[in-house]
Each structure stands twice: as structure tokens, then as C-alpha cells.
Amino acid sequence: PTIIFGTGRETIPGSLYALRLEDFVRSDVKNSIRIDSGNTKGFIAPPVIADLSGDGIGEIVVTTMDGYMKSYSGKDFSLMWSKRIHPRAEVQSMPAPLYFDEDEVPDFFNTFNLGEWPKNHTTIHAILSGVDGRELFRDTLGILQFSSPVLLDYNEDSFPDVVYAINTEEWDVFPVYKTQL
């Protein structure tokens, strides 16, 4: 068993690592393998493990604070695909695996915040192909979103539905002040 973990923050560079569970139990992190590094931002959200190659070994699918969703081979941690939705996107949540298109490979839904932390002004919700990372769906709703999507069969049709929060902001341009008489 292997632990996959990220370091860094919204404005602090970080890396994605793999560490065997037995090394972790021994508190021996010197055997950690660096899979990838961010130049200006970190790896905040947990990764998802899913078999994308059909070989029975789970691949790593992760989002980065600098707006990428990436997939790495479960065999050797090599990069399989990388997709950046927008040059000003940031991601704080983990992707949700689902089957969106007609193939047997899981696809991934996530929310990409536009702007720069903490001033993210809108979000792009996207589904990326697990095969090659190409964009299969896009919608724009709400503002800054930290919550990871949840999958459940809400309508009981044997297919998982994506449930996610949408944050909105209301501005009262002309405030009404109430006074006591």
C-alpha cells in the first residue's frame, strides 16, 4: 500500500509525493518519491485513485492549486495527461470519478475557481475524460468553491449523479435602514 500526498498552499509551491505505508509507519519519509512539483502553488486537495488503463492498477488523478487536473500512472508515476481549464483557474477540491461518455474509463468532475486566492470571482464546473484529459462538459455557476463534489444515485436510475455546492454573492446596492420609533 502507498500513501499519495501533497504539500504547499494557495500561494506556496508544493509537490505531490508517494510513500509506502510501511515507511510511513516507521516515520521514515526519506523514501518518499516526488511525483510532480508546482512552481508557484501547491497540491491541496486529496487525489483520487482509479484504474484508467484497464490493467488493474489504480492511476492517480489529482488537481493542483494552479488550475490543472492531472493523471499519473499507478505503475511508475509517469504523467499520463494534464489539462488546465483556464490560465487563471485555481482548484482546492478533489475530483469526483464518474462515467460521462460512452467508454469504460471513468471521467472526472471538478470545480475550477477563477481569480487569485482569496479573490476568486467565478467558477467553471468541468468534466474531463479519464482517457486523455480532454474537456467533455463545462458550465459556469457561482463563485469561490472549496467543497469536493459528491456522487450518489439521487434519482435511482443506477447512474451516479453529481451533487455539488454553488456559492453565490448578493450585493445590496441600496441598503434599507430600519429605525425604531
Side-chain angles (χ1 to χ4, degrees):
T2 302
I3 299 169
I4 308 297
F5 64 95
T7 63
R9 296 183 54 175
E10 287 87 349
T11 59
I12 297 173
S15 296
L16 183 68
Y17 293 94
L19 177 64
R20 292 183 328 180
L21 181 59
E22 63 187 60
D23 289 332
F24 175 76
V25 170
R26 289 193 320 252
S27 298
D28 187 6
V29 296
K30 71 176 185 270
N31 292 329
S32 295
I33 299 167
R34 185 171 47 215
I35 298 170
D36 197 357
S37 292
N39 292 329
T40 60
K41 300 179 183 190
F43 291 77
I44 295 175
V48 173
I49 307 298
D51 185 1
L52 305 182
S53 60
D55 63 0
I57 299 173
E59 274 66 56
I60 303 160
V61 179
V62 68
T63 54
T64 67
M65 188 58 195
D66 58 357
Y68 287 91
M69 187 182 298
K70 298 180 177 188
S71 172
Y72 304 90
S73 167
K75 288 182 185 175
D76 61 10
F77 305 127
S78 62
L79 182 66
M80 294 174 64
W81 54 259
S82 175
K83 174 69 174 178
R84 192 172 198 191
I85 293 296
H86 189 280
R88 292 186 54 239
E90 297 182 336
V91 186
Q92 290 93 344
S93 58
M94 66 186 264
L98 54 89
Y99 291 92
F100 186 75
D101 56 11
E102 300 300 320
D103 61 32
E104 298 294 318
V105 178
D107 305 306
F108 297 90
F109 173 90
N110 213 349
T111 299
F112 299 79
N113 297 309
L114 295 185
E116 189 168 325
W117 167 260
K119 296 179 181 177
N120 299 96
H121 54 78
T122 193
T123 58
I124 296 172
H125 308 282
I127 298 174
L128 302 184
S129 167
V131 172
D132 56 13
R134 76 184 179 285
E135 192 173 315
L136 301 173
F137 171 85
R138 178 188 285 222
D139 199 358
T140 315
L141 296 168
I143 61 170
L144 181 61
Q145 182 53 256
F146 295 118
S147 299
S148 296
V150 175
L151 298 176
L152 67 103
D153 186 4
Y154 183 76
N155 57 3
E156 298 180 0
D157 65 355
S158 299
F159 296 99
D161 301 298
V162 176
V163 178
Y164 60 97
I166 298 174
N167 293 327
T168 60
E169 187 173 55
E170 292 183 25
W171 291 84
D172 192 355
V173 179
F174 301 103
V176 176
Y177 296 99
K178 296 182 180 183
T179 58
Q180 289 185 325
L181 298 177

